[in-house]
Amino acid sequence: MKERLFDSIGLSSRGEKIRLNLAATSVLYYIAEQFMVCALPLILENNFENETAGEIVALLKKFSYKAISVVLTGDYQRIFERFCARQHNSDRHRGHIVNDRYPEEDLFSRFRLCRTSILSAELRRAVWISFA
């Protein structure tokens, strides 16, 4: 869900990313409510935040559902290594990784109207530095 919001709306600040995350959570809760209205079983998977806990608790009470929370833990070093590997995986949607702009601005878009000849040799070298 978040990926679709990132792709269709985009973001230009950390605040906008937070609002998109909250919007995705709101849609998730709406879908959950539709399942509950029909008395269907469901599994919700999310990085649940305290900020939206009241909404899901209210739904659980309203429809007399019981929640089971599964919290996984393990070796913190290994968890950190897996997090880093996931962040650098080319299959991971960039909207989850970047915090200030998505889609990311093309580094060269600011220089399209400039002729290469007016850029100093130092700037040309800096522009071609790889950040990967």
Side-chain angles (χ1 to χ4, degrees):
M1 207 172 330
K2 286 182 188 177
E3 290 89 353
R4 294 217 174 194
L5 289 173
F6 292 146
D7 290 342
S8 62
I9 298 172
L11 60 101
S12 61
S13 69
R14 175 72 179 145
E16 287 181 10
K17 183 173 184 176
I18 290 168
R19 286 192 295 280
L20 285 178
N21 286 332
L22 291 172
T25 300
S26 178
V27 171
L28 177 70
Y29 290 169
Y30 173 78
I31 293 168
E33 183 175 18
Q34 301 317 300
F35 273 74
M36 292 176 182
V37 164
C38 298
L40 295 171
L42 69 144
I43 296 173
L44 298 179
E45 188 279 326
N46 194 21
N47 292 326
F48 293 99
E49 313 245 354
N50 288 334
E51 189 173 356
T52 61
E55 294 174 62
I56 193 66
V57 169
L59 284 175
L60 294 169
K61 286 180 182 178
K62 178 179 178 180
F63 294 100
S64 300
Y65 270 67
K66 293 187 183 195
I68 298 172
S69 295
V70 179
V71 179
L72 304 175
T73 188
D75 176 81
Y76 292 129
Q77 181 62 37
R78 182 69 184 128
I79 292 170
F80 178 72
E81 290 167 2
R82 290 182 69 189
F83 170 80
C84 289
R86 184 175 76 172
Q87 290 295 89
H88 292 94
N89 185 329
S90 61
D91 291 335
R92 182 146 172 84
H93 192 284
R94 293 290 300 163
H96 292 293
I97 298 168
V98 297
N99 283 311
D100 59 350
R101 179 172 302 281
Y102 182 85
E104 294 163 280
E105 182 179 346
D106 176 6
L107 180 62
F108 299 104
S109 64
R110 289 176 259 167
F111 300 107
R112 287 201 174 124
L113 299 177
C114 298
R115 284 190 254 137
T116 306
S117 61
I118 66 170
L119 297 174
S120 70
E122 292 78 21
L123 181 56
R124 273 187 258 139
R125 277 197 300 271
V127 169
W128 290 105
I129 291 173
S130 171
F131 295 100

